[in-house]
Amino acid sequence: MDVASPEQVKAWCLANGFHPNRALGQNFLVNVDALGGIVDASGVNAGDMVLEIGPGLGVLTECLLARGVHVHAIEKDTRLADRLRTNVEAELAARGVAAPGSLTLVAADALKTDWDALFASRPFSACVSNLPYSVGTRILLDIARNLAAPPVLTVLVQTEVAQRFAALEGEKPRGQAGVWLQLDFDVRIVCEVSPASFWPKPEVGSSVVRLDRHPCALTPAERNLFYMLTKAAFMHRRKQLGGFLRKQPQFPGALDALAAVGIPPSARAEELSNAQWLALAKQIAACR
Ligand code: SAM
């Protein structure tokens, strides 16, 4: 089957009694240009070890394998995982598109993956994924927060979500996910992908986002505090930080820390840059 052909994908689903599952975000990419766009944006090279979450029918997987990379794919839907395992790898090897053994297929829930164990076992250079809508942010955050995660993450997500990942201080979509991702990564929206590039067609547009790891000098204690502090602050994003922190016994010395790093107590969570959150977390950690 040509998995980039909407007709062939529909015919396969019909013939196999397979109904794309909305809860699993099964909107399959069926546009060759969009596919090339995400793989080009990832910058992967032959020989790289690439992590893919949610390979689905394998359209992105095939494209990656054809570029000579080794793909480690994690798919929750066992029917799709079985199809990939039994048909696709052998078929691609027979066609000379991929070297035998270049696809590792794991039928599992990415939300339950032991990332520490996986990242310790394989030297991933990138993660390239068309993430399921409903749990994409959680999966990406689980991966990105792991210090052994691949240094480059290229993902396709809803445009609204992509904007949250990339939003800087003072911008409307600024929130916890963006602040957490930007702690360790430069986040860039590469391009938009229209709903017509998927089957079934989603109601909203999508965007390719590339995240490149940058150095971040936080001790484990400071990092822990950064996460706790920003999580609590964004749960009360409309509140002024001074008033909010005064009532938070888990951050002793936080008001003095605010003053020490030059943040006005009237500032709100979404107005702080990542550099300011970092400075504040370090200052509070130093007072503990
Ligand atoms: N990569 C394919 C493509 O581009 O056409 C499919 C992408 S589709 C948007 C998302 C895929 O993620 C589906 O195959 C779905 O079954 C899978 N998926 C959903 N939740 C998952 C989870 N928790 N862990 C792993 N895979 C998941």
Side-chain angles (χ1 to χ4, degrees):
M1 161 172 66
D2 175 2
V3 276
S5 153
E7 289 72 31
Q8 292 191 33
V9 167
K10 277 182 224 172
W12 181 86
C13 289
L14 209 63
N16 291 278
F18 182 89
H19 303 284
N21 183 329
R22 213 183 147 97
L24 287 179
Q26 289 175 345
N27 300 95
F28 302 114
L29 202 51
V30 287
N31 177 305
V32 177
D33 291 340
L35 196 57
I38 180 170
V39 179
D40 287 346
S42 74
V44 294
N45 292 304
D48 284 350
M49 174 74 72
V50 173
L51 171 68
E52 185 189 1
I53 310 300
L57 289 165
V59 71
L60 187 52
T61 323
E62 284 194 14
C63 197
L64 289 164
L65 290 170
R67 297 210 181 181
V69 308
H70 185 116
V71 179
H72 181 101
I74 303 175
E75 172 58 58
K76 184 173 177 182
D77 188 320
T78 47
R79 285 190 70 187
L80 295 177
D82 286 348
R83 178 192 165 272
L84 279 176
R85 192 182 290 113
T86 49
N87 302 341
V88 176
E89 194 187 5
E91 186 193 313
L92 292 180
R95 276 171 31 208
V97 173
S102 53
L103 172 63
T104 305
L105 205 278
V106 180
D109 183 342
L111 287 171
K112 295 183 184 151
T113 297
D114 179 347
W115 298 113
D116 284 335
L118 181 62
F119 295 147
S121 71
R122 279 161 192 261
F124 288 106
S125 49
C127 168
V128 185
S129 303
N130 174 14
L131 291 172
Y133 279 178
S134 50
V135 290
T137 299
R138 277 171 67 196
I139 293 174
L140 183 65
L141 283 171
D142 283 353
I143 294 172
R145 287 181 61 187
N146 193 304
L147 293 176
V152 183
L153 316 172
T154 307
V155 292
L156 185 53
V157 291
Q158 284 161 276
T159 297
E160 195 187 316
V161 172
Q163 287 167 346
R164 275 188 232 137
F165 292 170
L168 297 175
E169 63 276 16
E171 293 179 351
K172 211 167 166 211
R174 178 79 162 168
Q176 181 193 303
V179 171
W180 283 16
L181 290 173
Q182 292 168 32
L183 176 65
D184 293 298
F185 292 88
D186 295 328
V187 181
R188 181 167 63 90
I189 297 179
V190 180
C191 61
E192 292 194 12
V193 179
S194 81
S197 299
F198 300 87
W199 184 81
K201 204 165 134 180
E203 279 151 24
V204 293
S206 301
S207 293
V208 175
V209 186
R210 175 168 160 147
L211 300 95
D212 287 82
R213 185 179 287 285
H214 58 230
C216 172
L218 284 185
T219 64
E222 290 167 345
R223 180 171 281 273
N224 201 24
L225 211 121
F226 174 93
Y227 289 131
M228 277 170 49
L229 180 66
T230 49
K231 184 175 180 182
F234 277 101
M235 280 167 72
H236 304 276
R237 57 185 299 139
R238 299 306 312 150
K239 291 205 173 132
Q240 297 186 345
L241 282 174
F244 160 70
L245 287 171
R246 193 171 292 118
K247 296 183 196 138
Q248 301 294 316
Q250 76 267 38
F251 305 123
L255 279 180
D256 293 339
L258 261 189
V261 297
I263 298 171
S266 59
R268 292 184 166 82
E270 70 243 32
E271 293 166 1
L272 263 57
S273 67
N274 263 59
Q276 286 176 306
W277 281 121
L278 226 111
L280 186 58
K282 273 179 175 285
Q283 188 71 29
I284 298 175
C287 300
R288 284 187 144 198

